[in-house]
Amino acid sequence: MNSPMDEEVQALMEAAHDRAAKALGLTCTGPLAWGFLGVTLGRRAGDRWLRVSRTAKRNAGRKAKEGIVGASELVPDGVPRPHLYAVHDWADGEWAFESEVLDYLTQPIVSPDRADIDHDPGLPDEWWADLRQALALLAEAEGVKATVRDGWVERAFPQFLGIPAPARVERVTGHGDLHWGNLTAAPLCLLDWERWGRVPFGYDAGLLHTNSLLVPDVAARIRKEFAPTLDTPAGRIGELSALAEMLQAVARGWYPDLAPRLVARAEALTGVRPPAPVHSEVSA
């Protein structure tokens, strides 16, 4: 989604990708696809896709039932996502690397260069029905990781929304990073399963809605499609959790164009104007 500006990071990740391809017996061709700040790098290998990510060595090791491997084991087949064929992980110096071999998708990503949208992608009715079904199936799956933790909610609601944290957060299993950069156009496919787990009820739909606020017609479509979720007390908490997370990102310098819409939506839901953004390093 974003090519790294740091030449050292670029060289590091290109070498790691070459290493993974060699270890997995893949020949990669075509353009490099960079993830956020060069943390991930993907490239086509025939009808497969090789994705390599890096993290600090102290964080090495995949956790059972989490991430893309956990999703391949626990998420129902009816939830459309790339199939996982193989993994190859290693550590080198201060970094740990994880690589996965996935399906190469021919349908385009709705928003390949940003998480939000600034125009209507014109998705058909069948696409919206498939998304509703996918999230309903996913909600019933076993999930172990708490995405958007209760402790973060307790701090973030007063800090970024100006309201007390809810006494209780109802949770379901969800994708955890449902934005337009992680969805394909028809046929629907959900990408990037690193954050999936137990999310606040309504969080997935709420996060997609927050990333649609620059396009009122699409935002209205999401509110209509997911009204049975968002128009409930628990769903409102889920949407507010998504708004708080996005307002935290604003405080870190992201989404300047979206910021006024986020503030307006939060105020519409709570009757309280959110505080001016204050930089925070607290992770959800």
Side-chain angles (χ1 to χ4, degrees):
M1 188 177 293
N2 299 284
S3 178
M5 303 301 294
D6 188 320
E7 291 183 0
E8 183 177 350
V9 169
Q10 185 168 346
L12 174 74
M13 290 299 294
E14 289 181 8
H17 199 279
D18 289 344
R19 175 172 172 169
K22 183 177 180 180
L24 292 161
L26 299 175
T27 300
C28 296
T29 59
L32 304 174
W34 290 100
F36 181 67
L37 298 180
V39 171
T40 66
L41 176 59
R43 198 177 186 195
R44 184 178 182 178
D47 61 353
R48 303 286 188 261
W49 183 260
L50 175 60
R51 178 182 184 268
V52 177
S53 60
R54 64 180 166 89
T55 186
K57 189 175 182 178
R58 64 179 180 275
N59 298 325
R62 299 179 189 264
K63 296 181 179 179
K65 298 185 178 182
E66 295 184 14
I68 192 168
V69 174
S72 73
E73 299 168 347
L74 299 174
V75 173
D77 291 339
V79 179
R81 62 193 188 280
H83 181 75
L84 176 67
Y85 294 95
V87 299
H88 176 66
D89 304 338
W90 73 97
D92 187 5
E94 63 180 306
W95 298 108
F97 298 90
E98 296 181 347
S99 58
E100 299 99 23
V101 183
L102 306 158
D103 287 320
Y104 173 74
L105 302 178
T106 57
Q107 67 269 41
I109 295 172
V110 175
S111 180
D113 299 318
R114 55 193 288 181
D116 62 334
I117 51 172
D118 59 4
H119 66 281
D120 190 337
L123 298 164
D125 292 344
E126 294 79 8
W127 187 95
W128 290 101
D130 288 345
L131 180 61
R132 289 199 315 273
Q133 181 182 32
L135 295 185
L137 284 172
L138 180 56
E140 299 173 359
E142 177 189 355
V144 298
K145 176 183 178 179
T147 301
V148 189
R149 299 184 303 272
D150 289 343
W152 178 86
V153 169
E154 291 174 6
R155 296 184 295 272
F157 270 55
Q159 182 174 356
F160 298 107
L161 299 172
I163 61 173
R168 178 176 177 270
V169 177
E170 181 179 335
R171 290 183 177 270
V172 296
T173 300
H175 181 270
D177 201 15
L178 197 73
H179 59 67
W180 295 106
N182 283 336
L183 294 168
T184 69
L188 170 69
C189 194
L190 280 67
L191 311 178
D192 195 351
W193 287 82
E194 293 308 311
R195 256 192 118 199
W196 83 283
R198 302 293 291 175
V199 303
F201 179 78
Y203 175 80
D204 278 348
L207 186 61
L208 191 62
H209 183 262
T210 65
N211 279 285
S212 308
L213 291 173
L214 290 176
V215 189
D217 286 349
V218 176
R221 181 68 184 262
I222 293 169
R223 292 195 300 273
K224 176 184 176 183
E225 295 288 342
F226 294 98
T229 297
L230 296 176
D231 292 348
T232 64
R236 178 174 170 270
I237 289 171
E239 183 180 351
L240 287 171
S241 298
L243 283 162
E245 193 170 58
M246 292 290 282
L247 287 168
Q248 182 180 53
V250 169
R252 293 170 172 170
W254 300 100
Y255 303 108
D257 295 338
L258 197 56
R261 309 289 181 98
L262 297 169
V263 168
R265 178 62 179 170
E267 186 173 8
L269 289 176
T270 67
V272 176
R273 187 166 183 83
V278 176
H279 182 74
S280 172
E281 294 296 340
V282 178
S283 173

